[in-house]
Each structure stands twice: as C-alpha cells, then as structure tokens.
Amino acid sequence: MTEHHIPKRLMTLAYAASIALMAGYALWLYAMGDYRDLLIPTFMTLLLMSALLMHIGQGLKSYLPRIILLCCTYSVVLSAFYYHPGASPIWLGLPITATFLLLPLWAALLVNIAIGPLWWLLPTVAAAPPAIIVGYAALTLLLALPRWEHARRRALLRATDPNDSDCNAYHIDTLKERLNSEFQRAAMLNQQLVVLVVHLPQLDMAAEQFGHRAQTALLGALCSEVNSRCRDHDVLGRADNATFWLVLPDTSESGALLVRERLQRALSERVLVETGQLEARIAACLPSRAESFERYIKRLKARGASLSNV
C-alpha cells in the first residue's frame, strides 16, 4: 500500500474546480483584452477536460490525469510570470502546493527540489528579494511535514497496535457500508468485485490460553501482511471475532486468487512465539449476476462459518 491514495469523488471535484478556474481565467483575460496571454489558459482548459474524462473513465492509471493537472498548474504559473514581469512571486506557492497534493511525498519533494532553481531563471523571480528563496524552502518543508508525520504515525500504529491500524479499524457495520458502496459501484459500472474471507482459527485460542498480547500479535501479523500486499483502496474489516473480510474492488477472480495465494503463503511463514506457525484459512467469494447485496452478505457469512468448521 504505497500509492498515494485520494478518494475518487474528491479528485473529481478537484478536476471540475480546476476546469472552472482555468476557464474563468481565460474569460477574464479575454475581457481584459490580453489576447496574447489567452492561448495557454484556453489550451489548458481543454487538457483539464481530457484529464477529467480520463479520471472518470476506466482502464487508465490514476496518475495520468494527476500529471496533466500538475503540468497545467505549472504551465499557467510559468506563463503568468513570463508575460507579466510584475506578477507577485507569491504565486510560486500554487504549483508547490499542487505537487504535494497530487504526488506521493518523496516524488513531491524531488520535483520541488529539481524545479526550484529553474524558477530563478525567470526575470520576475530573479529580481525578487532573497527572502523569497527562504519562503520557497519553508513552504516546501511545511507541506512535507504533515505528510511525513502521517506516514510515520501510520507505520507506528501498524507496528505497535494493530487494533488501531487502518487495516483492522472497520467494524462490521462500517465494513458492510463500505462493501455496499463497492457492490453498488461494481454493478452500476459493470466492474468486478471479489471479497476474500479470512479466518484465523488460532485467534480465540490465543486469547484464552496466552492472553491479549498473543491475540494482538496474531492481529498484527495479519495487518502487516495485508498492508504490504494490498492496495490503498482495498478494505479489510472484522466480520466476527476470528473472521475478516478483505474487499478487493476492480479485481478479477484470477487476480483475487493470486492475492489469496500470496497472502496465504506469507501468513504461513509467520511464526509466533506463543502459537507457533500462523494458520489462516482464506476463500474467495464473488457476487453473482443479479444477486442482491443482502444475499451476498449471507453467502459471505456462510463462507466464514464453513471455514471456521473445517
């Protein structure tokens, strides 16, 4: 789960807002009679429309429209500095902020470090006071620190308290809500959806015989393996005391079987002090055509019960 994940609805709103802002900027230039500056914002508006269509469409990587949005931001700010030497250098903060919002942390840092010296080739920025350089570095660090702190705390939670980690944070009611939204989305967009039912038979025994610490170690093993082998938008939740559902959106049956095989192998290789080799029973469950969500939930529960009775 290393990809920088942003909810799709939020990104759709960002693309729509960027189109509105860019079109508004182009109309403002037209009204002011700056026809020389009108070409770039108009072309960027068309590019942003294509980015929105790629974002809504299927079969394309999510980073492609993000890169288009980021390039449009840099192009408009660059053209503003080039055509308007009196523009304030404060507009440098716009592409810096967009970089940290659209890219993973280390990629955003590398982009800002690499492009930073190039800004000072522009006459507007080169004539700015030296404090602008300090401000540029300070803004880059201020935007990087929250992301870095979030990643640090997330890793710490996964390593020390699996009950609080996001891979095990979903209660059954919340899990059903997330699963229902993915179920409806898959049916509406004709996409594939698979749920892996994971049962840990040693979980109850570990709590009864060895206490809460052994149970936490089992949960930590499951969380860490799921975190390292699944995507950010894959959802793991607790269906009952020893059974978990791993929701895999946009995943075919063959892909889910590969995930099951990798997860089963990784979990079987984990050896804990109290319980020994970790045992996990995993089954894939796909919704059938025209099946209701309630019927699918019943099949998931039945699959979990069958795994616990093996």
Side-chain angles (χ1 to χ4, degrees), residues 154-187:
R154 189 174 175 184
L156 182 61
L157 284 174
R158 290 173 179 172
T160 59
D161 192 358
N163 288 316
D164 291 336
S165 64
D166 54 357
C167 75
N168 193 39
Y170 292 107
H171 184 265
I172 179 61
D173 295 332
T174 307
L175 177 62
K176 285 182 180 179
E177 292 178 2
R178 292 292 302 271
L179 178 57
N180 187 22
S181 64
E182 293 296 342
F183 185 89
Q184 301 300 333
R185 176 174 174 269

PDB file of all heavy atoms in Angstrom, residues 154-187:
ATOM      1  N   ARG A 154       1.289   6.297  10.988  1.00  0.00           N
ATOM      2  CA  ARG A 154       0.609   5.136  10.405  1.00  0.00           C
ATOM      3  C   ARG A 154       1.473   3.886  10.521  1.00  0.00           C
ATOM      4  O   ARG A 154       1.000   2.817  10.888  1.00  0.00           O
ATOM      5  CB  ARG A 154       0.295   5.442   8.944  1.00  0.00           C
ATOM      6  CG  ARG A 154      -0.597   4.442   8.267  1.00  0.00           C
ATOM      7  CD  ARG A 154      -0.948   4.948   6.888  1.00  0.00           C
ATOM      8  NE  ARG A 154      -1.706   3.969   6.139  1.00  0.00           N
ATOM      9  CZ  ARG A 154      -2.080   4.127   4.892  1.00  0.00           C
ATOM     10  NH1 ARG A 154      -1.773   5.245   4.269  1.00  0.00           N
ATOM     11  NH2 ARG A 154      -2.765   3.193   4.264  1.00  0.00           N
ATOM     12  N   ALA A 155       2.764   4.048  10.215  1.00  0.00           N
ATOM     13  CA  ALA A 155       3.684   2.910  10.348  1.00  0.00           C
ATOM     14  C   ALA A 155       3.831   2.486  11.805  1.00  0.00           C
ATOM     15  O   ALA A 155       3.906   1.292  12.114  1.00  0.00           O
ATOM     16  CB  ALA A 155       5.042   3.278   9.765  1.00  0.00           C
ATOM     17  N   LEU A 156       3.849   3.470  12.723  1.00  0.00           N
ATOM     18  CA  LEU A 156       3.984   3.145  14.136  1.00  0.00           C
ATOM     19  C   LEU A 156       2.766   2.407  14.653  1.00  0.00           C
ATOM     20  O   LEU A 156       2.877   1.443  15.418  1.00  0.00           O
ATOM     21  CB  LEU A 156       4.198   4.438  14.932  1.00  0.00           C
ATOM     22  CG  LEU A 156       4.421   4.283  16.445  1.00  0.00           C
ATOM     23  CD1 LEU A 156       5.677   3.464  16.710  1.00  0.00           C
ATOM     24  CD2 LEU A 156       4.513   5.639  17.112  1.00  0.00           C
ATOM     25  N   LEU A 157       1.582   2.831  14.219  1.00  0.00           N
ATOM     26  CA  LEU A 157       0.369   2.147  14.648  1.00  0.00           C
ATOM     27  C   LEU A 157       0.349   0.709  14.151  1.00  0.00           C
ATOM     28  O   LEU A 157      -0.024  -0.212  14.875  1.00  0.00           O
ATOM     29  CB  LEU A 157      -0.866   2.893  14.126  1.00  0.00           C
ATOM     30  CG  LEU A 157      -1.243   4.187  14.858  1.00  0.00           C
ATOM     31  CD1 LEU A 157      -2.387   4.875  14.139  1.00  0.00           C
ATOM     32  CD2 LEU A 157      -1.629   3.891  16.296  1.00  0.00           C
ATOM     33  N   ARG A 158       0.774   0.519  12.918  1.00  0.00           N
ATOM     34  CA  ARG A 158       0.775  -0.841  12.369  1.00  0.00           C
ATOM     35  C   ARG A 158       1.760  -1.732  13.101  1.00  0.00           C
ATOM     36  O   ARG A 158       1.551  -2.931  13.248  1.00  0.00           O
ATOM     37  CB  ARG A 158       1.126  -0.789  10.881  1.00  0.00           C
ATOM     38  CG  ARG A 158       0.032  -0.185  10.020  1.00  0.00           C
ATOM     39  CD  ARG A 158       0.512  -0.022   8.603  1.00  0.00           C
ATOM     40  NE  ARG A 158      -0.544   0.537   7.765  1.00  0.00           N
ATOM     41  CZ  ARG A 158      -0.379   0.924   6.520  1.00  0.00           C
ATOM     42  NH1 ARG A 158       0.814   0.828   5.965  1.00  0.00           N
ATOM     43  NH2 ARG A 158      -1.376   1.413   5.823  1.00  0.00           N
ATOM     44  N   ALA A 159       2.859  -1.152  13.544  1.00  0.00           N
ATOM     45  CA  ALA A 159       3.892  -1.960  14.191  1.00  0.00           C
ATOM     46  C   ALA A 159       3.592  -2.243  15.650  1.00  0.00           C
ATOM     47  O   ALA A 159       4.031  -3.254  16.190  1.00  0.00           O
ATOM     48  CB  ALA A 159       5.236  -1.248  14.086  1.00  0.00           C
ATOM     49  N   THR A 160       2.832  -1.352  16.321  1.00  0.00           N
ATOM     50  CA  THR A 160       2.668  -1.494  17.762  1.00  0.00           C
ATOM     51  C   THR A 160       1.249  -1.818  18.200  1.00  0.00           C
ATOM     52  O   THR A 160       1.058  -2.485  19.202  1.00  0.00           O
ATOM     53  CB  THR A 160       3.093  -0.189  18.458  1.00  0.00           C
ATOM     54  OG1 THR A 160       2.289   0.878  17.970  1.00  0.00           O
ATOM     55  CG2 THR A 160       4.554   0.107  18.185  1.00  0.00           C
ATOM     56  N   ASP A 161       0.238  -1.339  17.481  1.00  0.00           N
ATOM     57  CA  ASP A 161      -1.134  -1.532  17.934  1.00  0.00           C
ATOM     58  C   ASP A 161      -2.030  -1.845  16.755  1.00  0.00           C
ATOM     59  O   ASP A 161      -2.654  -0.963  16.193  1.00  0.00           O
ATOM     60  CB  ASP A 161      -1.643  -0.272  18.647  1.00  0.00           C
ATOM     61  CG  ASP A 161      -2.953  -0.538  19.373  1.00  0.00           C
ATOM     62  OD1 ASP A 161      -3.461  -1.665  19.287  1.00  0.00           O
ATOM     63  OD2 ASP A 161      -3.452   0.391  20.034  1.00  0.00           O
ATOM     64  N   PRO A 162      -2.092  -3.090  16.330  1.00  0.00           N
ATOM     65  CA  PRO A 162      -2.853  -3.436  15.136  1.00  0.00           C
ATOM     66  C   PRO A 162      -4.339  -3.179  15.280  1.00  0.00           C
ATOM     67  O   PRO A 162      -5.039  -3.055  14.303  1.00  0.00           O
ATOM     68  CB  PRO A 162      -2.554  -4.930  14.942  1.00  0.00           C
ATOM     69  CG  PRO A 162      -2.172  -5.409  16.304  1.00  0.00           C
ATOM     70  CD  PRO A 162      -1.479  -4.271  16.957  1.00  0.00           C
ATOM     71  N   ASN A 163      -4.847  -3.120  16.511  1.00  0.00           N
ATOM     72  CA  ASN A 163      -6.266  -2.849  16.666  1.00  0.00           C
ATOM     73  C   ASN A 163      -6.617  -1.430  16.232  1.00  0.00           C
ATOM     74  O   ASN A 163      -7.756  -1.127  15.909  1.00  0.00           O
ATOM     75  CB  ASN A 163      -6.679  -3.038  18.135  1.00  0.00           C
ATOM     76  CG  ASN A 163      -6.701  -4.502  18.525  1.00  0.00           C
ATOM     77  OD1 ASN A 163      -7.196  -5.329  17.780  1.00  0.00           O
ATOM     78  ND2 ASN A 163      -6.148  -4.818  19.671  1.00  0.00           N
ATOM     79  N   ASP A 164      -5.621  -0.523  16.245  1.00  0.00           N
ATOM     80  CA  ASP A 164      -5.857   0.852  15.827  1.00  0.00           C
ATOM     81  C   ASP A 164      -5.439   1.092  14.392  1.00  0.00           C
ATOM     82  O   ASP A 164      -5.649   2.168  13.872  1.00  0.00           O
ATOM     83  CB  ASP A 164      -5.092   1.832  16.734  1.00  0.00           C
ATOM     84  CG  ASP A 164      -5.667   1.863  18.134  1.00  0.00           C
ATOM     85  OD1 ASP A 164      -6.854   1.521  18.299  1.00  0.00           O
ATOM     86  OD2 ASP A 164      -4.911   2.205  19.041  1.00  0.00           O
ATOM     87  N   SER A 165      -4.767   0.165  13.760  1.00  0.00           N
ATOM     88  CA  SER A 165      -4.302   0.397  12.395  1.00  0.00           C
ATOM     89  C   SER A 165      -5.472   0.364  11.438  1.00  0.00           C
ATOM     90  O   SER A 165      -6.472  -0.292  11.665  1.00  0.00           O
ATOM     91  CB  SER A 165      -3.279  -0.672  11.994  1.00  0.00           C
ATOM     92  OG  SER A 165      -3.877  -1.933  11.982  1.00  0.00           O
ATOM     93  N   ASP A 166      -5.356   1.089  10.333  1.00  0.00           N
ATOM     94  CA  ASP A 166      -6.485   1.264   9.447  1.00  0.00           C
ATOM     95  C   ASP A 166      -6.880  -0.019   8.744  1.00  0.00           C
ATOM     96  O   ASP A 166      -7.970  -0.132   8.240  1.00  0.00           O
ATOM     97  CB  ASP A 166      -6.193   2.372   8.427  1.00  0.00           C
ATOM     98  CG  ASP A 166      -4.905   2.130   7.688  1.00  0.00           C
ATOM     99  OD1 ASP A 166      -4.201   1.149   7.979  1.00  0.00           O
ATOM    100  OD2 ASP A 166      -4.607   2.939   6.814  1.00  0.00           O
ATOM    101  N   CYS A 167      -6.019  -1.023   8.690  1.00  0.00           N
ATOM    102  CA  CYS A 167      -6.410  -2.275   8.037  1.00  0.00           C
ATOM    103  C   CYS A 167      -7.349  -3.078   8.914  1.00  0.00           C
ATOM    104  O   CYS A 167      -8.006  -3.993   8.447  1.00  0.00           O
ATOM    105  CB  CYS A 167      -5.174  -3.107   7.698  1.00  0.00           C
ATOM    106  SG  CYS A 167      -4.427  -3.907   9.126  1.00  0.00           S
ATOM    107  N   ASN A 168      -7.457  -2.770  10.199  1.00  0.00           N
ATOM    108  CA  ASN A 168      -8.314  -3.521  11.103  1.00  0.00           C
ATOM    109  C   ASN A 168      -9.285  -2.597  11.828  1.00  0.00           C
ATOM    110  O   ASN A 168      -9.849  -2.945  12.846  1.00  0.00           O
ATOM    111  CB  ASN A 168      -7.464  -4.279  12.128  1.00  0.00           C
ATOM    112  CG  ASN A 168      -8.273  -5.316  12.888  1.00  0.00           C
ATOM    113  OD1 ASN A 168      -9.112  -5.974  12.306  1.00  0.00           O
ATOM    114  ND2 ASN A 168      -8.032  -5.439  14.178  1.00  0.00           N
ATOM    115  N   ALA A 169      -9.462  -1.385  11.306  1.00  0.00           N
ATOM    116  CA  ALA A 169     -10.263  -0.389  12.007  1.00  0.00           C
ATOM    117  C   ALA A 169     -11.751  -0.525  11.708  1.00  0.00           C
ATOM    118  O   ALA A 169     -12.553   0.067  12.409  1.00  0.00           O
ATOM    119  CB  ALA A 169      -9.796   1.019  11.643  1.00  0.00           C
ATOM    120  N   TYR A 170     -12.123  -1.265  10.687  1.00  0.00           N
ATOM    121  CA  TYR A 170     -13.515  -1.291  10.281  1.00  0.00           C
ATOM    122  C   TYR A 170     -14.310  -2.300  11.090  1.00  0.00           C
ATOM    123  O   TYR A 170     -14.034  -3.496  11.077  1.00  0.00           O
ATOM    124  CB  TYR A 170     -13.638  -1.605   8.789  1.00  0.00           C
ATOM    125  CG  TYR A 170     -13.108  -0.497   7.922  1.00  0.00           C
ATOM    126  CD1 TYR A 170     -11.910  -0.639   7.248  1.00  0.00           C
ATOM    127  CD2 TYR A 170     -13.802   0.695   7.797  1.00  0.00           C
ATOM    128  CE1 TYR A 170     -11.417   0.381   6.460  1.00  0.00           C
ATOM    129  CE2 TYR A 170     -13.315   1.721   7.010  1.00  0.00           C
ATOM    130  CZ  TYR A 170     -12.137   1.557   6.345  1.00  0.00           C
ATOM    131  OH  TYR A 170     -11.644   2.569   5.572  1.00  0.00           O
ATOM    132  N   HIS A 171     -15.298  -1.788  11.806  1.00  0.00           N
ATOM    133  CA  HIS A 171     -16.261  -2.639  12.498  1.00  0.00           C
ATOM    134  C   HIS A 171     -17.193  -3.243  11.458  1.00  0.00           C
ATOM    135  O   HIS A 171     -17.263  -2.783  10.314  1.00  0.00           O
ATOM    136  CB  HIS A 171     -17.022  -1.793  13.527  1.00  0.00           C
ATOM    137  CG  HIS A 171     -17.977  -2.566  14.366  1.00  0.00           C
ATOM    138  ND1 HIS A 171     -19.316  -2.672  14.071  1.00  0.00           N
ATOM    139  CD2 HIS A 171     -17.783  -3.272  15.503  1.00  0.00           C
ATOM    140  CE1 HIS A 171     -19.914  -3.401  14.984  1.00  0.00           C
ATOM    141  NE2 HIS A 171     -19.010  -3.782  15.864  1.00  0.00           N
ATOM    142  N   ILE A 172     -17.951  -4.266  11.851  1.00  0.00           N
ATOM    143  CA  ILE A 172     -18.785  -4.980  10.892  1.00  0.00           C
ATOM    144  C   ILE A 172     -19.798  -4.046  10.234  1.00  0.00           C
ATOM    145  O   ILE A 172     -20.056  -4.146   9.034  1.00  0.00           O
ATOM    146  CB  ILE A 172     -19.488  -6.179  11.571  1.00  0.00           C
ATOM    147  CG1 ILE A 172     -20.376  -6.929  10.585  1.00  0.00           C
ATOM    148  CG2 ILE A 172     -20.260  -5.737  12.792  1.00  0.00           C
ATOM    149  CD1 ILE A 172     -19.631  -7.516   9.413  1.00  0.00           C
ATOM    150  N   ASP A 173     -20.375  -3.101  11.004  1.00  0.00           N
ATOM    151  CA  ASP A 173     -21.360  -2.194  10.408  1.00  0.00           C
ATOM    152  C   ASP A 173     -20.711  -1.264   9.376  1.00  0.00           C
ATOM    153  O   ASP A 173     -21.248  -1.066   8.276  1.00  0.00           O
ATOM    154  CB  ASP A 173     -22.031  -1.367  11.507  1.00  0.00           C
ATOM    155  CG  ASP A 173     -22.856  -2.231  12.451  1.00  0.00           C
ATOM    156  OD1 ASP A 173     -23.343  -3.279  11.992  1.00  0.00           O
ATOM    157  OD2 ASP A 173     -22.991  -1.871  13.634  1.00  0.00           O
ATOM    158  N   THR A 174     -19.564  -0.695   9.738  1.00  0.00           N
ATOM    159  CA  THR A 174     -18.846   0.163   8.799  1.00  0.00           C
ATOM    160  C   THR A 174     -18.356  -0.638   7.595  1.00  0.00           C
ATOM    161  O   THR A 174     -18.375  -0.163   6.457  1.00  0.00           O
ATOM    162  CB  THR A 174     -17.664   0.834   9.499  1.00  0.00           C
ATOM    163  OG1 THR A 174     -18.120   1.494  10.672  1.00  0.00           O
ATOM    164  CG2 THR A 174     -16.986   1.842   8.580  1.00  0.00           C
ATOM    165  N   LEU A 175     -17.919  -1.858   7.865  1.00  0.00           N
ATOM    166  CA  LEU A 175     -17.455  -2.719   6.781  1.00  0.00           C
ATOM    167  C   LEU A 175     -18.582  -3.005   5.795  1.00  0.00           C
ATOM    168  O   LEU A 175     -18.373  -2.985   4.573  1.00  0.00           O
ATOM    169  CB  LEU A 175     -16.906  -4.020   7.362  1.00  0.00           C
ATOM    170  CG  LEU A 175     -16.429  -5.076   6.361  1.00  0.00           C
ATOM    171  CD1 LEU A 175     -15.276  -4.543   5.531  1.00  0.00           C
ATOM    172  CD2 LEU A 175     -16.016  -6.345   7.095  1.00  0.00           C
ATOM    173  N   LYS A 176     -19.780  -3.251   6.297  1.00  0.00           N
ATOM    174  CA  LYS A 176     -20.914  -3.505   5.410  1.00  0.00           C
ATOM    175  C   LYS A 176     -21.241  -2.273   4.575  1.00  0.00           C
ATOM    176  O   LYS A 176     -21.597  -2.399   3.389  1.00  0.00           O
ATOM    177  CB  LYS A 176     -22.135  -3.919   6.236  1.00  0.00           C
ATOM    178  CG  LYS A 176     -22.071  -5.341   6.770  1.00  0.00           C
ATOM    179  CD  LYS A 176     -23.337  -5.679   7.541  1.00  0.00           C
ATOM    180  CE  LYS A 176     -23.289  -7.100   8.071  1.00  0.00           C
ATOM    181  NZ  LYS A 176     -24.508  -7.441   8.841  1.00  0.00           N
ATOM    182  N   GLU A 177     -21.122  -1.086   5.165  1.00  0.00           N
ATOM    183  CA  GLU A 177     -21.379   0.127   4.403  1.00  0.00           C
ATOM    184  C   GLU A 177     -20.371   0.293   3.270  1.00  0.00           C
ATOM    185  O   GLU A 177     -20.730   0.636   2.135  1.00  0.00           O
ATOM    186  CB  GLU A 177     -21.333   1.349   5.334  1.00  0.00           C
ATOM    187  CG  GLU A 177     -22.477   1.388   6.345  1.00  0.00           C
ATOM    188  CD  GLU A 177     -22.355   2.574   7.273  1.00  0.00           C
ATOM    189  OE1 GLU A 177     -21.412   3.379   7.093  1.00  0.00           O
ATOM    190  OE2 GLU A 177     -23.190   2.698   8.190  1.00  0.00           O
ATOM    191  N   ARG A 178     -19.090   0.066   3.584  1.00  0.00           N
ATOM    192  CA  ARG A 178     -18.067   0.167   2.546  1.00  0.00           C
ATOM    193  C   ARG A 178     -18.276  -0.890   1.466  1.00  0.00           C
ATOM    194  O   ARG A 178     -18.141  -0.615   0.272  1.00  0.00           O
ATOM    195  CB  ARG A 178     -16.679   0.004   3.169  1.00  0.00           C
ATOM    196  CG  ARG A 178     -16.255   1.135   4.090  1.00  0.00           C
ATOM    197  CD  ARG A 178     -16.030   2.430   3.305  1.00  0.00           C
ATOM    198  NE  ARG A 178     -15.036   2.267   2.262  1.00  0.00           N
ATOM    199  CZ  ARG A 178     -13.736   2.448   2.430  1.00  0.00           C
ATOM    200  NH1 ARG A 178     -13.267   2.807   3.619  1.00  0.00           N
ATOM    201  NH2 ARG A 178     -12.893   2.295   1.437  1.00  0.00           N
ATOM    202  N   LEU A 179     -18.612  -2.104   1.891  1.00  0.00           N
ATOM    203  CA  LEU A 179     -18.840  -3.180   0.934  1.00  0.00           C
ATOM    204  C   LEU A 179     -20.062  -2.886   0.075  1.00  0.00           C
ATOM    205  O   LEU A 179     -20.072  -3.161  -1.130  1.00  0.00           O
ATOM    206  CB  LEU A 179     -18.993  -4.507   1.667  1.00  0.00           C
ATOM    207  CG  LEU A 179     -19.280  -5.742   0.801  1.00  0.00           C
ATOM    208  CD1 LEU A 179     -18.199  -5.925  -0.258  1.00  0.00           C
ATOM    209  CD2 LEU A 179     -19.388  -6.989   1.671  1.00  0.00           C
ATOM    210  N   ASN A 180     -21.097  -2.317   0.674  1.00  0.00           N
ATOM    211  CA  ASN A 180     -22.309  -1.993  -0.083  1.00  0.00           C
ATOM    212  C   ASN A 180     -22.018  -0.951  -1.159  1.00  0.00           C
ATOM    213  O   ASN A 180     -22.495  -1.056  -2.296  1.00  0.00           O
ATOM    214  CB  ASN A 180     -23.383  -1.481   0.873  1.00  0.00           C
ATOM    215  CG  ASN A 180     -24.722  -1.298   0.174  1.00  0.00           C
ATOM    216  OD1 ASN A 180     -24.991  -1.901  -0.867  1.00  0.00           O
ATOM    217  ND2 ASN A 180     -25.573  -0.450   0.730  1.00  0.00           N
ATOM    218  N   SER A 181     -21.222   0.068  -0.808  1.00  0.00           N
ATOM    219  CA  SER A 181     -20.884   1.087  -1.805  1.00  0.00           C
ATOM    220  C   SER A 181     -20.073   0.488  -2.954  1.00  0.00           C
ATOM    221  O   SER A 181     -20.301   0.822  -4.126  1.00  0.00           O
ATOM    222  CB  SER A 181     -20.103   2.228  -1.141  1.00  0.00           C
ATOM    223  OG  SER A 181     -18.868   1.765  -0.634  1.00  0.00           O
ATOM    224  N   GLU A 182     -19.129  -0.395  -2.638  1.00  0.00           N
ATOM    225  CA  GLU A 182     -18.351  -1.046  -3.699  1.00  0.00           C
ATOM    226  C   GLU A 182     -19.220  -1.996  -4.509  1.00  0.00           C
ATOM    227  O   GLU A 182     -19.050  -2.130  -5.733  1.00  0.00           O
ATOM    228  CB  GLU A 182     -17.169  -1.806  -3.077  1.00  0.00           C
ATOM    229  CG  GLU A 182     -16.110  -0.940  -2.441  1.00  0.00           C
ATOM    230  CD  GLU A 182     -15.408  -0.049  -3.457  1.00  0.00           C
ATOM    231  OE1 GLU A 182     -15.483  -0.327  -4.663  1.00  0.00           O
ATOM    232  OE2 GLU A 182     -14.787   0.930  -3.028  1.00  0.00           O
ATOM    233  N   PHE A 183     -20.172  -2.668  -3.840  1.00  0.00           N
ATOM    234  CA  PHE A 183     -21.085  -3.587  -4.525  1.00  0.00           C
ATOM    235  C   PHE A 183     -21.948  -2.826  -5.529  1.00  0.00           C
ATOM    236  O   PHE A 183     -22.095  -3.246  -6.691  1.00  0.00           O
ATOM    237  CB  PHE A 183     -21.954  -4.298  -3.482  1.00  0.00           C
ATOM    238  CG  PHE A 183     -22.862  -5.355  -4.045  1.00  0.00           C
ATOM    239  CD1 PHE A 183     -22.427  -6.664  -4.179  1.00  0.00           C
ATOM    240  CD2 PHE A 183     -24.150  -5.039  -4.433  1.00  0.00           C
ATOM    241  CE1 PHE A 183     -23.271  -7.640  -4.696  1.00  0.00           C
ATOM    242  CE2 PHE A 183     -24.999  -6.001  -4.950  1.00  0.00           C
ATOM    243  CZ  PHE A 183     -24.556  -7.309  -5.089  1.00  0.00           C
ATOM    244  N   GLN A 184     -22.528  -1.704  -5.099  1.00  0.00           N
ATOM    245  CA  GLN A 184     -23.371  -0.902  -5.991  1.00  0.00           C
ATOM    246  C   GLN A 184     -22.544  -0.288  -7.122  1.00  0.00           C
ATOM    247  O   GLN A 184     -22.997  -0.213  -8.269  1.00  0.00           O
ATOM    248  CB  GLN A 184     -24.072   0.201  -5.192  1.00  0.00           C
ATOM    249  CG  GLN A 184     -24.954  -0.300  -4.060  1.00  0.00           C
ATOM    250  CD  GLN A 184     -26.072  -1.207  -4.545  1.00  0.00           C
ATOM    251  OE1 GLN A 184     -26.529  -1.106  -5.686  1.00  0.00           O
ATOM    252  NE2 GLN A 184     -26.510  -2.113  -3.684  1.00  0.00           N
ATOM    253  N   ARG A 185     -21.334   0.148  -6.798  1.00  0.00           N
ATOM    254  CA  ARG A 185     -20.466   0.738  -7.830  1.00  0.00           C
ATOM    255  C   ARG A 185     -20.098  -0.299  -8.876  1.00  0.00           C
ATOM    256  O   ARG A 185     -20.094  -0.006 -10.083  1.00  0.00           O
ATOM    257  CB  ARG A 185     -19.206   1.294  -7.169  1.00  0.00           C
ATOM    258  CG  ARG A 185     -18.176   1.859  -8.126  1.00  0.00           C
ATOM    259  CD  ARG A 185     -17.052   2.514  -7.349  1.00  0.00           C
ATOM    260  NE  ARG A 185     -15.968   2.954  -8.221  1.00  0.00           N
ATOM    261  CZ  ARG A 185     -14.922   2.201  -8.534  1.00  0.00           C
ATOM    262  NH1 ARG A 185     -14.806   0.983  -8.023  1.00  0.00           N
ATOM    263  NH2 ARG A 185     -13.978   2.656  -9.329  1.00  0.00           N
ATOM    264  N   ALA A 186     -19.769  -1.523  -8.447  1.00  0.00           N
ATOM    265  CA  ALA A 186     -19.416  -2.577  -9.392  1.00  0.00           C
ATOM    266  C   ALA A 186     -20.596  -2.930 -10.293  1.00  0.00           C
ATOM    267  O   ALA A 186     -20.433  -3.159 -11.495  1.00  0.00           O
ATOM    268  CB  ALA A 186     -18.929  -3.811  -8.633  1.00  0.00           C
ATOM    269  N   ALA A 187     -21.818  -2.963  -9.711  1.00  0.00           N
ATOM    270  CA  ALA A 187     -22.995  -3.286 -10.512  1.00  0.00           C
ATOM    271  C   ALA A 187     -23.323  -2.173 -11.497  1.00  0.00           C
ATOM    272  O   ALA A 187     -23.688  -2.426 -12.646  1.00  0.00           O
ATOM    273  CB  ALA A 187     -24.187  -3.542  -9.583  1.00  0.00           C
TER     274      ALA A 187
END
